Amino acid sequence: MMFGRGAKVTLAEILNALGGVKSPQLSHVDWQYSPTQLAVDSRDVTEGAIFIALAGSQAHGIRFAAQAIDQGVKYILAEKSPGLVEMDMVFSESDHDQLNAVPVIWVDQLSRQCKSLASQFYQNPSQRVKVIGVTGTNGKTSTAHYIAQLLSATGVKVALLGTLGNGWIGDLTPSQNTTLEVVALNRWLAYFADQQADVVVMEVSSHAITLGRIDGIQFKGLALTQVTRDHLDFHKTEQAYQSVKKQLFQDYSHQFEVLNLDDKVGLELAHQNRPSVSQISYAKENAQADIFVPKAKLYQRGIAGQILLSQQPIAFDVPLMGEFNLENMLCAIGVCVGLGLTVSQLEKALNQLKPVAGRMQCLSHPGQATVVIDYAHTADALQALLIAVRAHLSLPNQQLWVVFGCGGNRDQGKRPLMGEVAQRYADKVVITDDNPRDESPEAIVQQITNAMETPFTVVHDRAQAVSSTLTQANPQDVVVIAGKGHESTQEIAGQKIPMQDERLVKQAYAAYEANRRPL
């Protein structure tokens, strides 16, 4: 059956959709009850919702039923699970009185039915708004945000679902996962559709594909950044990981796809024959791509060059750092082409492109060093970041600075490794506090510097570290501030203090400007 769009859905319709569930408790059910929403996560529950308790790999969702009831749940749909003796095995005595007041309806194979239930309950939202899925090992977040920026610059109303949060650009709600589970995903898509969004751009992780979080979603377009080795703890082999990425393009409905011809998986997908799907290719190296970069130059404050879009030239000069961000930009352009943007629209929109907060975010001010803010908080990520930024340095006596620290209550083994990376790839190293949490900041710094041989500076106060570094750095230098990215607080001894690296940099720039004004 299908729920009518715009109509209230009754509990009777929901149970019929689940196959006419039979339970002794159904005699106490209000068949005409209309829930306000469906929720799998008890933290998402609002007044009047139905809580769906699924059998998870770590715990059964019924364990969180009391929390859901506290937040206003009137009915619970719970998945029957082998070995689970319904209520008695999972609730303490104190929970029973509360739970007896709320009907718990047990359903066979509820997990498998969630995709169709959610889609029907929310009136097939992926058919009411254009959904773009972006996948790849790296670059999903930046690419998704670039797509949203380019479309927004041309008047398209765009929403985002991904790592940095869900919602509208500049007003994102934090997300638990890169890709939401299928019930929450349909709920968000329905909200965007009701708010008259034209396009929803969502990041699609390999976990989401494997675990069925996007089952039943109909995509307008799909895009691939690149596929390298990752998540082998989950997928076991690199081949299995690649197969999952291909599965998105092979098994899910979509009208167009954007593929990276410089990537092995992208090239393989480009050679597959899918007549109902139009392909748009991009590349930095492969001149056969629909979107190709014949020339590009990395410089202190970004990347400039020319793009050929089906042999039509587009000049660009964007404040993006790292050659890989050029690939992300090309991928975003490909999606916009698939959605119908013209060359003139794209050329104008590219001039407004900005880096994503905390992801190779480039800030500059006349007379001051350029700053790059990034979330890199492991040795590998810091190394890749510094190598990418150094490629932008070409002026005489130009130096690369790095300001970073390590979080407390986290992997201590990475600390000396990050110190080694910093001294190897940066000219000047300033060590400061990240999120010390419950550890001694002095002890963390000692571990970072144990293996360091070249000179370094320690400034525990992060604001002071940023300010003093920008005071010392020359205008042609580049300063990398790593570790916290877009985070808005610093955690010290159980307290979260408001602090954001971007704000610290802007404060330092403002102080410089104030000091240079004549009295």
Side-chain angles (χ1 to χ4, degrees):
M1 65 164 291
M2 296 292 290
F3 303 132
R5 180 178 175 185
K8 288 186 176 181
V9 181
T10 66
L11 186 59
E13 292 175 309
I14 290 173
L15 297 183
N16 282 335
L18 292 172
V21 177
K22 295 179 180 179
S23 168
Q25 296 189 40
L26 293 187
S27 58
H28 305 290
V29 163
D30 176 4
W31 295 98
Q32 297 309 307
Y33 176 73
S34 296
T36 56
Q37 70 170 58
L38 305 178
V40 169
D41 190 327
S42 59
R43 294 168 294 187
D44 290 341
V45 166
T46 58
E47 181 75 27
I50 283 183
F51 177 53
I52 300 176
L54 301 178
S57 58
Q58 303 297 320
H60 197 292
I62 198 68
R63 294 179 183 272
F64 305 97
Q67 179 183 353
I69 293 169
D70 283 341
Q71 293 175 213
V73 158
K74 303 300 182 187
Y75 291 92
I76 296 172
L77 299 179
E79 183 170 28
K80 290 184 178 179
S81 177
L84 179 69
V85 183
E86 297 195 354
M87 309 262 288
D88 293 329
M89 285 189 64
V90 294
F91 293 122
S92 65
E93 245 181 79
S94 60
D95 289 327
H96 273 291
D97 288 343
Q98 184 181 21
L99 287 161
N100 285 337
V102 174
V104 179
I105 303 168
W106 294 86
V107 182
D108 287 319
Q109 298 183 334
L110 184 55
S111 294
R112 293 185 181 180
Q113 300 189 70
C114 271
K115 67 175 182 180
S116 57
L117 177 62
S119 179
Q120 292 178 39
F121 182 86
Y122 291 110
Q123 294 96 44
N124 300 304
S126 64
Q127 295 180 25
R128 296 191 280 131
V129 64
K130 296 173 183 175
V131 181
I132 303 297
V134 181
T135 196
T137 305
N138 298 303
K140 293 188 295 295
T141 299
S142 294
T143 300
H145 281 252
Y146 297 159
I147 294 168
Q149 288 184 42
L150 293 173
L151 291 174
S152 296
T154 62
V156 178
K157 189 173 183 180
V158 191
L160 284 161
L161 294 167
T163 305
L164 297 186
N166 309 315
W168 315 100
I169 295 179
D171 187 23
L172 298 177
T173 300
S175 179
Q176 297 294 324
N177 296 300
T178 295
T179 311
L180 297 166
E181 50 77 21
V182 70
V183 174
L185 177 55
N186 275 275
R187 184 170 66 247
W188 272 101
L189 291 176
Y191 167 74
F192 293 138
D194 292 343
Q195 294 297 312
Q196 305 300 310
D198 300 305
V199 176
V200 177
V201 185
M202 62 178 288
E203 299 174 47
V204 180
S205 67
S206 59
H207 289 71
I209 301 168
T210 303
L211 298 174
R213 293 177 190 162
I214 58 170
D215 284 359
I217 301 300
Q218 296 187 39
F219 294 94
K220 175 70 173 180
L222 295 172
L224 179 73
T225 58
Q226 34 67 14
V227 181
T228 58
R229 180 188 175 97
D230 200 12
H231 299 307
L232 297 195
D233 57 325
F234 182 80
H235 297 288
K236 306 306 179 187
T237 68
E238 194 167 352
Q239 184 178 9
Y241 173 61
Q242 292 176 0
S243 295
V244 169
K245 292 296 188 184
K246 293 177 184 176
Q247 185 183 338
L248 176 63
F249 296 84
Q250 295 165 340
D251 296 351
Y252 288 84
S253 171
H254 61 290
Q255 296 177 26
F256 73 88
E257 57 192 28
V258 179
L259 302 173
N260 184 355
L261 295 192
D262 291 335
D263 179 78
K264 176 187 173 184
V265 173
L267 198 58
E268 290 175 359
L269 287 169
H271 289 152
Q272 293 180 1
N273 183 26
R274 292 187 293 280
S276 61
V277 177
S278 62
Q279 287 186 350
I280 302 164
S281 59
Y282 70 94
K284 292 192 290 94
E285 309 294 338
N286 192 330
Q288 301 303 310
D290 300 315
I291 305 168
F292 175 63
V293 183
K295 58 181 180 180
K297 177 185 178 182
L298 307 182
Y299 71 103
Q300 182 184 357
R301 292 185 176 86
I303 310 172
Q306 185 186 76
I307 296 167
L308 289 180
L309 173 53
S310 299
Q311 301 306 310
Q312 297 184 69
I314 299 177
F316 69 92
D317 189 342
V318 292
L320 304 181
M321 303 294 283
E323 194 171 10
F324 50 80
N325 257 324
L326 180 57
E327 284 190 340
N328 296 336
M329 183 182 77
L330 296 179
C331 186
I333 290 171
V335 170
C336 292
V337 170
L339 290 170
L341 264 62
T342 65
V343 169
S344 60
Q345 285 177 311
L346 281 167
E347 189 159 25
K348 183 178 179 180
L350 279 172
N351 292 326
Q352 303 176 49
L353 198 63
K354 297 178 181 178
V356 179
R359 296 298 195 275
M360 295 288 281
Q361 182 180 3
C362 184
L363 301 173
S364 62
H365 186 84
Q368 288 276 274
T370 299
V371 173
V372 177
I373 298 172
D374 195 81
Y375 189 58
H377 56 280
T378 66
D380 287 347
L382 184 62
Q383 177 176 319
L385 169 63
L386 294 175
I387 290 173
V389 173
R390 185 168 284 283
H392 288 258
L393 276 60
S394 59
L395 301 175
N397 302 318
Q398 199 170 19
Q399 291 189 311
L400 176 60
W401 297 64
V402 62
V403 180
F404 81 103
C406 289
N409 301 9
R410 298 292 187 270
D411 177 15
Q412 296 188 14
K414 73 178 183 180
R415 294 171 185 173
L417 299 177
M418 291 185 70
E420 290 177 8
V421 165
Q423 72 172 1
R424 185 179 309 130
Y425 294 100
D427 301 305
K428 299 284 187 178
V429 177
V430 179
I431 300 169
T432 188
D433 291 350
D434 189 283
N435 292 309
R437 298 186 177 89
D438 299 320
E439 287 195 62
S440 158
E442 291 77 14
I444 293 173
V445 169
Q446 183 61 51
Q447 288 180 312
I448 294 171
T449 59
N450 272 343
M452 294 181 66
E453 299 175 355
T454 56
F456 55 85
T457 302
V458 176
V459 182
H460 283 286
D461 184 293
R462 196 171 182 94
Q464 183 59 39
V466 170
S467 176
S468 61
T469 299
L470 286 175
T471 298
Q472 298 173 63
N474 292 318
Q476 73 270 21
D477 293 346
V478 177
V479 176
V480 168
I481 303 176
K484 289 176 59 59
H486 66 286
E487 290 180 358
S488 59
T489 61
Q490 184 179 43
E491 188 174 347
I492 303 175
Q495 292 190 338
K496 290 188 175 181
I497 303 165
M499 179 177 289
Q500 187 179 42
D501 285 347
E502 179 183 359
R503 194 176 301 119
L504 298 182
V505 173
K506 289 182 176 180
Q507 288 172 354
Y509 282 162
Y512 163 81
E513 195 62 37
N515 290 334
R516 67 189 291 266
R517 291 192 192 117
L519 295 175

